Amino acid sequence: MSIGQTFLGLLESGPRHGYDLKKTYDDRFGHARPLHYGQVYATLSRLLKDGLVELDGVEPGEGPERKRYAVTSAGVSDVESWLASAEKPEPYLQNTLYTKVILALLTGRSAADLLDVQRAEHLRLMRELTRRKAGGDLADNLICDHALFHLDADLRWLELTAARLDDLGRQVRA
Amino acid sequence: MTGQPLLEADGLHKAFGPTKALDGASIAIRAGEIVAIMGPSGSGKSTLLHCLAGIVRPDSGHVRYQGAEISAMTDGERSALRRTQFGFVFQFGQLVPELTCLENIALPLRMEGVRRREAEARAAEWLDRLDLADVGRKRPGEVSGGQGQRVAVARALVTRPRAVFADEPTGALDSLNGERVMRLLTEAARETGAAVVLVTHEARVAGYSDREIVVRDGRTRDIAREMEEAL
Ligand SMILES: Nc1ncnc2c1ncn2[C@@H]1O[C@H](COP(=O)(O)OP(=O)(O)OP(=O)(O)O)[C@@H](O)[C@H]1O
Ligand SMILES: [Mg+2]
């Protein structure tokens, strides 16, 4: 997640203090993983150095909270090109579940049991997210759905693998 | 598990010719809980649901509703049980094409002998709550798949059943409509205290349940419970 570009985007609606940026970021994007103050001020000083933000005013007194930041036009183009460029998809080719299935087959343990146990665990989290969606707003629903679709993909893969276990076992041990 | 389950199947066997659809399946559903039945295609999920609902008679094993053996009932008793205590939602093809959506929802009440005006007034309340006010006068052939499934949910719940049987209720819908149907079904079931037996192979649909039972080769497993007991 690019904190810098996200800050620039949040600053487009007007100058803000570092604390305010952190709070908005945590509310919208943190999802129980808030930013550290260290991250916030390191990011802001980098943006400042790169000319993507500028100080909008420094109030007298001590501490970092005196500073208000504004996005520069270079900063606006930076967010714009970030939003317009494609994210690299996750390759998904290193996967612990995959390793476990193959290792179970290689060592003569039950891969079917492993898949059953994992399904139960995935479904437990999916229920939690589904319940959270019932009480949340639409923006929160979106991130829950993002997680739910990925968990769902894992489970589809598990079901397909379960259906192929016999053939797979023969090939892996051959 | 405390107290008597609402619905209970024990050691069910059912063969269709040489095919063993159920091979020792057991499940217990408590009042008001939502249970997903999952498992691969052909594993026996629908057959289990049909046995639980008294639609299919198992070759052996027991199905009890509130302690009463369903297979010991007469056909008349069994269809009265289905009419008054159970509701059904299937993947498609469950609405009567000649009736309007409003009449479809009212139908289970009419079959119980409720007068037309009252049945349709109660059906209309469901139309409102399921956001279907403008489809009431249309026939099932004239509404979208998602609207049709919501009509089916209303029809299943209009008699305030104790148990709703849903077999792939979102199977023919896209994600957005599937979510809408599942929300309405589970919220309405929670509100009226109905238990839901939900057959699905989709994990996102099973996410609306309280727990899942997995069927494989006609046998049931409660993996989450086995995991807890193993701790
Ligand atoms: N009426 C029937 N006549 C003959 N065979 C049947 C009948 N109903 C089910 N079967 C067979 O019994 C087995 C279990 O079928 P069932 O419909 O219960 O599976 P399912 O788990 O619901 O599958 P799906 O996910 O594809 O709906 C299958 O092999 C099926 O072909
Ligand atoms: Mg089926």
Side-chain angles (χ1 to χ4, degrees):
Chain A
M1 172 73 101
S2 174
I3 303 169
Q5 273 110 357
T6 311
F7 279 6
L8 293 175
L10 291 175
L11 286 172
E12 280 193 87
S13 59
R16 295 163 181 249
H17 288 97
Y19 172 77
D20 187 27
L21 272 175
K22 171 190 153 48
K23 200 176 162 315
T24 309
Y25 183 101
D26 289 347
D27 286 350
R28 280 195 186 274
F29 309 113
H31 299 291
R33 229 196 267 178
L35 294 175
H36 302 296
Y37 279 101
Q39 273 173 299
V40 174
Y41 292 106
T43 304
L44 285 169
S45 63
R46 182 174 56 75
L47 295 175
L48 203 55
K49 192 180 97 231
D50 294 345
L52 302 177
V53 300
E54 61 196 9
L55 289 180
D56 180 61
V58 182
E59 288 144 32
E62 289 291 306
E65 269 318 300
R66 309 171 288 137
K67 294 180 183 163
R68 260 186 6 154
Y69 299 86
V71 67
T72 62
S73 61
V76 173
S77 344
D78 194 70
V79 200
E80 225 160 60
S81 67
W82 183 58
L83 289 178
S85 62
E87 284 298 300
K88 220 172 175 43
E90 290 273 340
Y92 293 114
L93 287 172
Q94 272 77 42
N95 183 274
T96 315
L97 277 182
Y98 171 80
T99 309
K100 280 187 164 185
V101 170
I102 300 296
L103 199 64
L105 291 172
L106 279 172
T107 57
R109 294 184 168 89
S110 169
D113 285 355
L114 189 156
L115 294 176
D116 279 341
V117 164
Q118 195 60 47
R119 182 196 300 102
E121 192 63 31
H122 264 55
L123 278 173
R124 198 202 313 259
L125 178 56
M126 290 180 81
R127 279 197 184 94
E128 208 177 294
L129 291 164
T130 305
R131 270 197 298 273
R132 173 168 150 186
K133 271 175 68 177
D137 59 18
L138 204 52
D140 189 59
N141 276 2
L142 282 183
I143 191 68
C144 291
D145 278 330
H146 181 76
L148 281 165
F149 275 101
H150 281 78
L151 291 161
D152 189 64
D154 277 353
L155 282 180
R156 283 170 193 243
W157 177 79
L158 282 178
E159 301 299 348
L160 184 69
T161 305
R164 289 175 169 167
L165 272 182
D166 290 344
D167 289 343
L168 194 62
R170 269 193 295 278
Q171 283 191 23
V172 164
R173 281 189 299 269
Chain B
M1 193 163 299
T2 52
Q4 185 189 58
L6 180 74
L7 192 58
E8 185 180 23
D10 199 13
L12 297 187
H13 291 259
K14 176 73 191 176
F16 296 102
T19 309
K20 283 185 183 171
L22 294 178
D23 191 19
S26 302
I27 190 172
I29 315 282
R30 281 163 289 192
E33 73 171 340
I34 301 176
V35 180
I37 298 181
M38 305 190 72
S41 185
S43 59
K45 303 182 296 292
S46 295
T47 308
L48 176 59
L49 180 134
H50 292 149
C51 287
L52 281 170
I55 297 170
V56 162
R57 191 192 287 264
D59 299 334
S60 63
H62 301 276
V63 181
R64 297 186 197 88
Y65 176 71
Q66 293 183 328
E69 186 79 44
I70 291 187
S71 59
M73 296 178 185
T74 64
D75 285 350
E77 287 169 337
R78 224 180 356 258
S79 73
L81 178 74
R82 284 201 297 269
R83 213 170 51 236
T84 62
Q85 310 284 301
F86 296 166
F88 296 90
V89 185
F90 297 118
Q91 189 169 342
F92 34 53
Q94 52 205 311
L95 300 174
V96 181
E98 293 81 12
L99 300 180
T100 65
C101 288
L102 181 76
E103 289 164 343
N104 263 285
I105 300 173
L107 189 61
L109 294 171
R110 299 282 291 140
M111 294 193 330
E112 269 186 58
V114 177
R115 300 176 75 95
R116 182 185 197 98
R117 277 180 72 138
E118 195 201 327
E120 293 192 355
R122 279 165 67 184
E125 286 170 24
W126 278 96
L127 282 175
D128 280 344
R129 94 168 263 188
L130 300 195
D131 224 0
L132 289 167
D134 36 330
V135 313
R137 288 204 259 175
K138 294 186 178 175
R139 291 177 211 288
E142 300 162 347
V143 304
S144 74
Q147 289 168 335
Q149 279 312 75
R150 279 184 279 146
V151 170
V153 167
R155 198 183 68 166
L157 285 155
V158 73
T159 56
R160 297 195 151 249
R162 306 307 304 145
V164 175
F165 297 90
D167 196 343
E168 302 284 6
T170 64
L173 304 180
D174 65 15
S175 302
L176 191 61
N177 280 289
E179 165 164 331
R180 224 167 152 193
V181 165
M182 283 314 298
R183 273 202 184 194
L184 291 167
L185 172 61
T186 51
E187 278 168 15
R190 299 242 189 253
E191 214 178 283
T192 58
V196 180
V197 182
L198 170 68
V199 167
T200 182
H201 64 270
E202 281 185 79
R204 272 180 306 112
V205 173
Y208 289 88
S209 67
D210 299 316
R211 62 192 179 92
E212 79 278 3
I213 295 292
V214 177
V215 185
R216 188 167 304 124
D217 300 328
R219 282 182 295 270
T220 42
R221 283 188 70 186
D222 185 342
I223 313 269
R225 181 139 164 237
E226 289 170 25
M227 280 163 67
E228 264 170 40
E229 284 170 0
L231 284 182

